[in-house]
């Protein structure tokens, strides 16, 4: 379950009765769209249905039967969310906007590069400033993933930006291969790997291009800077970093 501070109220008025439930705001939106695939108990603040959640008043059981054909809260709660309205206070809206803005900046930073600067990643503060200059406002009631394309469209007149992935081949010396490869392989999508006769390890990793500095820092940290990396731009071309 979630805390009361994290929950918003979903309210349904039907048959002269009011029904309220306390639920995570993002989960409420996915439930409303019938896209929720998690455990309901994990995203609600109370396994209960209220007539007035702020006072803890509960509706009569016969009212639940009349409207939902059941008194089981775990069956009623999704119906209240789907058929009702999600209530959020001004403070909750502000907090949701801040949280989703941070998620958006993080998503863009991880995936975007500057095509005019040899596909170097954009730092988060540059993305922050560009979003502000572009006048983009996050919608707290929409998933971040649904707002990325609009944000990019507004960013392109402000800064050169492109979403991309990069593929890097890395060779780790035998002295570090045992531990280092276990960290490197988890960084992205391991395309291939091979142990060499001298005990060194070679792996080919694909990951969002905006994370390239994080990748090189990880490799250097676990190999004392002795690993070799090559950016694979296509099947025939390999450039050494």
């Amino acid at each position: 379950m979630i805390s009361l501070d994290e929950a918003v109220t979903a309210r349904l008025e039907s048959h002269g009765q009011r029904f309220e439930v306390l639920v995570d705001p993002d989960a409420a939106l996915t439930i409303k769209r019938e896209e929720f695939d998690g455990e309901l108990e994990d995203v609600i603040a109370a396994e209960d249905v209220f007539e007035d959640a702020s006072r803890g008043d509960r509706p009569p059981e016969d009212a639940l039967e009349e409207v939902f054909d059941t008194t089981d809260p775990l069956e009623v709660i999704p119906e209240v969310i789907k058929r009702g309205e999600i209530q959020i206070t001004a403070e909750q809206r502000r907090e949701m906007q801040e949280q989703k803005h941070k998620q958006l900046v993080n998503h863009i930073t991880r995936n975007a590069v500057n095509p005019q600067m040899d596909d170097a990643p954009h730092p988060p503060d540059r993305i922050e400033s560009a979003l502000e200059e572009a006048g983009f406002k996050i919608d707290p009631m929409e998933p971040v993933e649904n707002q990325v394309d609009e944000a990019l469209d507004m960013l392109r007149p402000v800064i050169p930006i492109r979403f991309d992935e990069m593929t890097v081949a890395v060779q780790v010396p035998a002295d570090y291969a045992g531990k280092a490869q276990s960290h490197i392989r988890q960084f992205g999508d391991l395309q291939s790997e091979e142990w060499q006769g001298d005990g060194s390890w070679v792996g080919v990793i694909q990951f969002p291009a905006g994370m390239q500095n994080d990748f090189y820092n990880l490799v250097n940290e676990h190999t004392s800077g002795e690993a070799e990396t090559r950016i694979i731009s296509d099947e025939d071309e390999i450039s050494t970093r």
Side-chain angles (χ1 to χ4, degrees):
M1 288 194 178
I2 64 171
S3 69
L4 288 174
D5 291 338
E6 298 174 288
V8 297
T9 301
R11 178 184 299 154
L12 171 67
E13 294 190 9
S14 180
H15 295 68
Q17 297 284 338
R18 182 172 63 186
F19 307 94
E20 295 184 348
V21 298
L22 300 170
V23 61
D24 174 83
D26 288 332
L29 294 172
T30 58
I31 291 171
K32 201 169 187 66
R33 297 187 182 98
E34 299 188 353
E35 298 172 354
F36 182 71
D37 60 0
E39 295 294 332
L40 186 62
E41 294 93 330
D42 294 337
V43 297
I44 56 177
E47 193 174 319
D48 213 337
V49 180
F50 302 94
E51 183 178 31
D52 187 325
S54 63
R55 295 202 305 259
D57 296 341
R58 293 173 175 80
E61 288 195 355
D62 58 352
L64 292 170
E65 285 284 2
E66 181 180 12
V67 177
F68 304 104
D69 294 325
T70 181
T71 60
D72 183 350
L74 294 181
E75 292 185 24
V76 174
I77 289 172
E79 292 302 312
V80 172
I81 297 169
K82 292 175 188 176
R83 295 155 57 180
E85 296 181 353
I86 301 170
Q87 314 288 318
I88 60 172
T89 66
E91 179 65 15
Q92 286 172 326
R93 184 178 184 87
R94 182 188 65 79
E95 290 178 356
M96 290 170 63
Q97 280 183 313
E98 289 181 357
Q99 181 185 41
K100 290 198 172 183
H101 180 78
K102 291 178 181 178
Q103 291 173 355
L104 177 69
V105 170
N106 181 59
H107 182 88
I108 294 175
T109 301
R110 286 169 58 90
N111 289 277
V113 293
N114 184 343
Q116 293 183 7
M117 295 291 290
D118 295 326
D119 289 342
H122 285 287
D125 57 350
R126 184 182 300 158
I127 299 299
E128 286 270 15
S129 298
L131 285 170
E132 182 177 354
E133 183 178 343
F136 180 80
K137 300 295 184 185
I138 195 81
D139 185 344
M141 303 303 288
E142 280 289 326
V144 170
E145 293 77 10
N146 293 356
Q147 303 183 67
V148 172
D149 289 343
E150 180 185 354
L152 285 177
D153 288 343
M154 294 183 68
L155 283 173
R156 287 189 179 102
V158 180
I159 57 174
I161 190 169
R162 181 181 75 234
F163 269 22
D164 205 354
E165 289 189 329
M166 66 186 304
T167 304
V168 177
V170 55
Q171 181 166 7
V172 180
D175 289 346
Y176 307 98
K179 290 184 178 180
Q181 57 85 23
S182 65
H183 293 280
I184 294 170
R185 66 169 58 245
Q186 294 177 35
F187 189 88
D189 183 12
L190 182 65
Q191 303 286 298
S192 63
E193 64 176 325
E194 184 177 327
W195 288 92
Q196 305 297 298
D198 61 359
S200 63
W201 178 83
V202 175
V204 177
I205 314 290
Q206 187 177 69
F207 51 87
M211 299 176 65
Q212 55 189 280
N213 288 340
D214 292 336
F215 177 75
Y216 292 123
N217 288 339
L218 175 76
V219 171
N220 289 332
E221 176 185 352
H222 290 285
T223 66
S224 298
E226 295 185 27
E228 295 184 9
T229 61
R230 296 178 177 85
I231 299 173
I232 301 177
S233 54
D234 56 42
E235 292 183 357
D236 300 319
E237 179 185 352
I238 297 181
S239 56
T240 302
R241 181 183 175 90

